[in-house]
Amino acid sequence: MERSETGTITRRQLLAGGLTGTAVIVVASCGPDANNAIPKGEIFVARVKKVPRLDPSTRDWEYGPQATIEMGSQEMALPTKKVPTVTQLTVRAVHDGTSIGIRIEWDDAETNDLTVRVDDFRDACAVLLAAGAGDASVRAMGTPASPATLLHWKADWERDVQLGVQGISDVYPNLSVDTYPPLIVDNPTEITPMDYVKAGATDWLPGLAVGNPLSAPTRPTSVEKLVAIGFGTSTSCKTQDAIGAGQRTKKGWRVAIVKPMTASDESETVLHAGGTATCAFAVWSGKDKDNGGHKSPSVNTFRMRLEA
Amino acid sequence: MVEVMNWQLNRMMAYPYEEARPIRQAAAVFDTNKCIGCQTCTMACKTCWTSGHGQEYMLWNNVETKPWGSYPLAWDVRELELLGPQHWNGDTYGGKTIFEAAPQGKKNIGWQPTGLDYAYPNRGEDEVNVTLTVKRYHLKLPHDMWFFYLPRICNHCTYPACLQACTRQSIYKRQEDGIVLIDQERCRGYRICMEACPYKKIFYNHTTRVSEKCVMCFPAVEDGIQPRCMRNCIGKIRSFGFVGTPQTARPDNPIDFLVHVRKVALPLYPQFGLEPNVYYIPPVHVESDEFLTMLFGPGARAAINTYQNAMEGNDPELLGALLLAVSTDKIISRFKVESDSVIGWADNGDEVVRIPLKVPIIERSAFDENLKVYRYNIT
Ligand code: SF4
Ligand code: SF4
C-alpha cells in the first residue's frame, strides 16, 4: 500500500489490515481498543516496541494515530502575528516506555534553511510539553507553576547536520578575505568556527565564546531542548538529549523529534506510560521572517495521553 | 506603555518601561565641523571589535557623507518616511516618536534591512547636496553647495528602541554608565532589535547567528579610559564623558557644558524619541535650516551661532571645552579655563591635561639667511 506524501494512513486503515501483517500484530498488541475513538483535543501516543529515531518517513510512525492541529494567530505578546502562515499541522506520536517520538508535518512551499544573511530567517517547528492534561494556562510558554519543555526543530540546524555548519561562503561564494587576524592562513575563506576553537581564539566569535547554542561550531542534531516559564523566558537546557530530523516533502516539511520520557534538567516535563501531559505546537515560517513570538501557534493546547 | 520624560523633546512620551536613568550616562560630543572623513575611527573600532568571522560587513562605527551617504542604505530616509510628518512647536516636539507611531501589534515602527543594504558602506562619499553647474562658486559661509561627514556609533540611548523591542530581555542598559549591551548568551538572533533601532546600530553576526552592537569600549571606560574611536580621532572631533539631564547638568563637566550650558551639541534625529547620547555640533557651512532641524532638532541654528562666536574668540570657556577633545586618553570629568589654558581633571581629581587656548605662532621669513635657501613651508 502506497503511503501518501502527507502520511495520511489512519489508524482505522491500519486496523482494517491495510498494512503488513507484522504491523497489524504490533498495533493489535499495543494499540488502543479499535472502538475507542480518539477524543477531539487529544494527542494519543501509541506504545510501540521502539520509537523511530532519525527517519521522519519511516512507516513506523503510522502506529501513532494522526491528529490534525489547527494553527492560529499569536496575539498574546508584541510583536503579534495576526494571520498564521501555516494553518494546519498533522501530528503522530509514539512512545516505547523510554522515549517519546513526535512527527510533525506541514505545508510550506519555500525552503528556508539558512540563517547567515541579515535577512535570512529559518523555518522551524516546536512541541511544547507540560504537566497536566491539556491545561490552557501553559499555552503562553508555560507558567512558573507549570514550566514548559520545548522541543524546537530548526531548518538551519538540519542543514548544518546534513551539509556541515553553514557559513558565509554558503551565501556569498565569491567572498574574498585578506585575513582574519587571529588565524593567519593561506585561504582565509575556508576557515570555520572550529578553527577558532582549535586555535583558542573564540574571543573573536563572541556568541561561541560564551556558549550560545546558536553559535556552536558543530551541530549534532537539529533539535534544541529548552525550558520556559512564560513568554521571553525560554532557556536552552544543559542536557541536550532530544534529537530529531527533518525532511522536505513535495509539499513542505516532515520532522521527527525524539526525547527521553524522563527529565534530565530542572523544570523539564516528565512523561509516563499510561499518563497524561499537556502539549501544544508552533511553526515558524522563514519567508515571513518569523522568529521568537512571531510564529503560528496551535489554537489549542492538547491533552497528551500516553498508552500504558 | 508608560509616560517618561524625554528632555530632548521637551515633553513626556510613551515608552514600554518606566524612566530609569543610570547613575551616570556615557555620552560623546562630535564636532562635525572638524571631521575630515578619514575613517580612522572606523578602523580603530573594526580592528578592535569586529575583525572576526561573521563580522565582515559590520561597522559599529561608520562615517557617512551627508546629505547622500548612509549605512545601511538609506537608514534614516526610510525611518523618517515611516515616521510621517514631524514638527516642532518651538522647543517641543509636536510629532510622534517611533514608539508613539507604532502600528497595532507592534511596539515601534521600524524596518528590517537586507544583506544588500550593507553592501555600500561609503555610498555618497564626498557628494555635495546639489548638482554642480558651470556657475562659479565662491568661498563664503554658508556654502553655495555643501556636504559634511557624519560619524556614527550606537547612541547608548536613554530609551533604547533595541532594548524595549527584544522579547527575551537579552539587551540591557548598565546602571553604572548607561552603556547598552546585548547578552551574547541570551540573544537568539531574532533581530527584532535590528528592526527597531532607527539608527540601525544593531548588527547580525553571520557566523554566530546572534546580534551584536557597539559596546562603547566598556572595559576601557571602566578604567577611566576613553573608547578607541574617540582616542584615535585624527580630526580631534570627539569628546567623551558623561552627560546629565538639564536638571542635573554640572557646568564644569565638559559634556554637560557643551550639551546643556552652551547647547552647541545636539542629538541626532531627536524626534525618533530615544534620547540618544551622542551629541553633534552642527556644520556651520550648511545653508539649509530645514535640513539641520530635521537632523539635529530646533536648536541647530542657535548652536552654530554659539559655536562661531567662540571661534571668533568671544567665548574662551567654550573654546576651552572644545579644545579638550582627543587631548588625552583619560576620561575628563571636570574642566576649567584658567588664564590662557584649559585644564582637565579625571574622576579621581588627577589633572590629566592642560592646553593653551592659543597655540604660539612663530613666523619665519621665507628666505633662510643661514642656509641661503627659500623655505617652501614657512609655517
Ligand atoms: S542607537 Fe540603536 S542600538 Fe544603540 S542603544 Fe539606541 S536603539 Fe539601541
Ligand atoms: S577619526 Fe575623527 S576625523 Fe577621522 S573620520 Fe573619524 S570622527 Fe572624523
Side-chain angles (χ1 to χ4, degrees):
Chain A
M1 177 178 156
E2 281 296 307
R3 202 174 54 75
S4 77
E5 206 40 63
T6 44
T8 49
I9 294 170
T10 62
R11 188 153 198 96
R12 193 167 294 282
Q13 282 173 303
L14 278 168
L15 292 168
L19 276 182
T20 61
T22 326
V24 173
I25 291 162
V26 173
V27 168
S29 61
C30 5
D33 184 338
N35 298 322
N36 280 354
I38 307 299
K40 209 172 157 11
E42 181 174 287
I43 304 288
F44 181 76
V45 187
R47 183 159 195 151
V48 294
K49 270 195 180 146
K50 188 110 190 89
V51 168
R53 293 176 80 79
L54 293 174
D55 182 0
S57 291
T58 170
R59 298 183 72 173
D60 292 350
W61 287 104
E62 289 154 22
Y63 299 130
Q66 177 175 296
T68 302
I69 312 287
E70 190 194 339
M71 309 303 277
S73 58
Q74 189 289 102
E75 297 187 67
M76 284 192 274
L78 299 176
T80 57
K81 181 171 165 103
K82 286 220 156 42
V83 182
T85 318
V86 175
T87 51
Q88 191 174 299
L89 301 184
T90 53
V91 170
R92 290 173 187 270
V94 291
H95 80 89
D96 56 17
T98 311
S99 296
I100 180 167
I102 299 155
R103 188 180 78 174
I104 304 171
E105 293 177 89
W106 72 98
D107 291 353
D108 181 354
E110 201 179 295
T111 307
N112 289 94
D113 59 359
L114 282 164
T115 42
V116 175
R117 281 168 297 216
V118 169
D119 47 335
D120 284 337
F121 291 87
R122 69 170 75 87
D123 295 332
C125 70
V127 188
L128 177 152
L129 297 171
D135 306 2
S137 62
V138 300
R139 188 167 170 259
M141 310 280 282
T143 65
S146 189
T149 301
L150 308 162
L151 306 172
H152 192 258
W153 172 87
K154 302 170 179 59
D156 56 330
W157 285 24
E158 187 65 46
R159 187 188 162 112
D160 289 349
V161 170
Q162 314 229 347
L163 305 174
V165 172
Q166 57 191 266
I168 309 160
S169 40
D170 288 286
V171 292
Y172 300 117
N174 300 322
L175 173 85
S176 154
V177 176
D178 293 336
T179 181
Y180 290 105
L183 305 169
I184 309 298
V185 293
D186 285 344
N187 195 349
T189 50
E190 285 171 11
I191 292 174
T192 66
M194 208 54 211
D195 296 318
Y196 283 80
V197 176
K198 285 183 197 149
T202 54
D203 277 1
W204 269 263
L205 297 174
L208 170 55
V210 298
N212 191 317
L214 290 146
S215 317
T218 54
R219 194 74 72 201
T221 183
S222 50
V223 173
E224 183 184 8
K225 188 177 80 177
L226 307 101
V227 290
I229 52 167
F231 271 126
T233 64
S234 61
T235 305
S236 201
C237 292
K238 279 205 178 70
T239 319
Q240 287 298 325
D241 51 6
I243 57 165
Q247 280 172 357
R248 282 300 288 178
T249 61
K250 282 187 191 134
K251 289 183 167 180
W253 286 107
R254 179 181 294 147
V255 171
I257 297 173
V258 179
K259 91 174 263 302
M261 287 161 68
T262 49
S264 41
D265 283 281
E266 209 186 317
S267 305
E268 189 178 343
T269 310
V270 184
L271 302 168
H272 300 283
T276 62
T278 302
C279 75
F281 302 86
V283 167
W284 289 261
S285 174
K287 70 170 179 299
D288 275 3
K289 305 202 182 312
D290 281 354
N291 55 58
H294 202 261
K295 63 186 175 188
S296 310
S298 53
V299 174
N300 302 305
T301 50
F302 297 87
R303 183 165 88 121
M304 181 177 247
R305 188 156 61 88
L306 290 92
E307 191 174 356
Chain B
M1 290 274 187
V2 292
E3 289 286 301
V4 294
M5 181 62 194
N6 182 326
W7 64 262
Q8 296 175 352
L9 306 182
N10 196 30
R11 69 165 170 85
M12 304 296 283
M13 64 159 206
Y15 187 69
Y17 296 115
E18 299 279 345
E19 185 171 342
R21 290 178 187 271
I23 295 165
R24 57 183 188 172
Q25 174 62 55
V29 169
F30 292 178
D31 183 351
T32 61
N33 296 291
K34 289 164 72 186
C35 180
I36 54 172
C38 64
Q39 306 279 5
T40 309
C41 47
T42 307
M43 292 315 293
C45 179
K46 187 80 194 154
T47 52
C48 185
W49 293 111
T50 61
S51 59
H53 239 72
Q55 299 177 314
E56 291 79 358
Y57 78 103
M58 257 187 226
L59 299 170
W60 292 356
N61 181 108
N62 79 293
V63 183
E64 55 203 45
T65 302
K66 282 291 175 218
W68 306 117
S70 56
Y71 164 85
L73 204 63
W75 65 271
D76 47 356
V77 180
R78 293 197 226 186
E79 190 76 22
L80 292 166
E81 213 161 28
L82 282 174
L83 190 55
Q86 304 131 47
H87 62 277
W88 293 85
N89 305 319
D91 284 345
T92 306
Y93 180 53
K96 285 185 173 166
T97 67
I98 67 156
F99 310 112
E100 293 163 346
Q104 224 203 343
K106 289 204 154 210
K107 286 176 157 178
N108 49 269
I109 56 161
W111 59 280
Q112 176 68 40
T114 68
L116 263 186
D117 292 326
Y118 296 90
Y120 311 97
N122 218 354
R123 171 187 171 270
E125 186 188 20
D126 292 2
E127 280 179 28
V128 292
N129 64 321
V130 290
T131 311
L132 294 180
T133 64
V134 288
K135 94 168 194 182
R136 280 174 187 239
Y137 295 97
H138 299 280
L139 210 50
K140 60 178 178 59
L141 277 179
H143 291 178
D144 289 324
M145 75 274 183
W146 50 266
F147 71 78
F148 66 95
Y149 299 117
L150 187 76
R152 301 204 302 118
I153 60 171
C154 161
N155 294 290
H156 297 275
C157 307
T158 305
Y159 302 113
C162 58
L163 181 149
Q164 58 89 45
C166 178
T167 51
R168 292 180 56 77
Q169 288 87 44
S170 305
I171 305 184
Y172 60 103
K173 187 168 175 68
R174 306 208 309 176
Q175 217 200 342
E176 61 267 42
D177 50 22
I179 293 175
V180 177
L181 297 174
I182 303 178
D183 182 338
Q184 289 293 292
E185 215 175 328
R186 202 154 167 76
C187 176
R188 307 283 297 183
Y190 293 165
R191 286 157 276 174
I192 311 172
C193 52
M194 180 179 242
E195 182 183 310
C197 170
Y199 302 98
K200 289 291 169 271
K201 281 296 173 189
I202 299 276
F203 299 89
Y204 179 67
N205 187 309
H206 295 309
T207 301
T208 63
R209 307 189 211 174
V210 294
S211 299
E212 296 176 2
K213 67 179 287 300
C214 158
V215 296
M216 199 62 121
C217 293
F218 69 85
V221 173
E222 286 168 8
D223 282 349
I225 304 288
Q226 301 190 25
R228 280 201 95 196
C229 60
M230 320 262 176
R231 271 182 276 157
N232 288 280
C233 174
I234 300 288
K236 292 184 182 280
I237 83 153
R238 297 185 175 213
S239 305
F240 177 81
F242 297 93
V243 73
T245 63
Q247 289 72 38
T248 62
R250 274 194 299 113
D252 63 352
N253 165 354
I255 304 293
D256 275 347
F257 182 79
L258 296 170
V259 172
H260 292 301
V261 180
R262 286 295 188 269
K263 297 183 177 23
V264 282
L266 307 168
L268 179 64
Y269 292 117
Q271 64 270 40
F272 291 161
L274 282 64
E275 209 179 281
N277 288 302
V278 175
Y279 298 85
Y280 292 85
I281 301 180
V284 298
H285 61 293
V286 171
E287 40 70 39
S288 167
D289 276 4
E290 285 82 6
F291 188 78
L292 292 177
T293 304
M294 180 180 80
L295 254 73
F296 305 115
R301 186 50 63 189
I304 288 174
N305 292 339
T306 308
Y307 181 81
Q308 284 184 309
N309 185 45
M311 292 302 137
E312 282 155 15
N314 303 324
D315 190 348
E317 211 180 355
L318 178 52
L319 185 66
L322 292 168
L323 281 173
L324 293 174
V326 202
S327 58
T328 167
D329 283 358
K330 307 270 182 347
I331 299 172
I332 302 170
S333 59
R334 188 163 64 84
F335 86 109
K336 192 177 179 189
V337 170
E338 217 170 64
S339 55
D340 284 339
S341 292
V342 57
I343 310 158
W345 289 273
D347 253 353
N348 61 5
D350 284 356
E351 179 183 317
V352 288
V353 70
R354 182 179 287 258
I355 313 164
L357 292 188
K358 271 201 181 139
V359 178
I361 297 171
I362 298 165
E363 281 185 32
R364 292 185 291 180
S365 68
F367 187 71
D368 187 314
E369 286 293 346
N370 290 339
L371 300 173
K372 302 284 181 240
V373 290
Y374 283 94
R375 292 192 181 90
Y376 289 109
N377 181 349
I378 55 166
T379 53

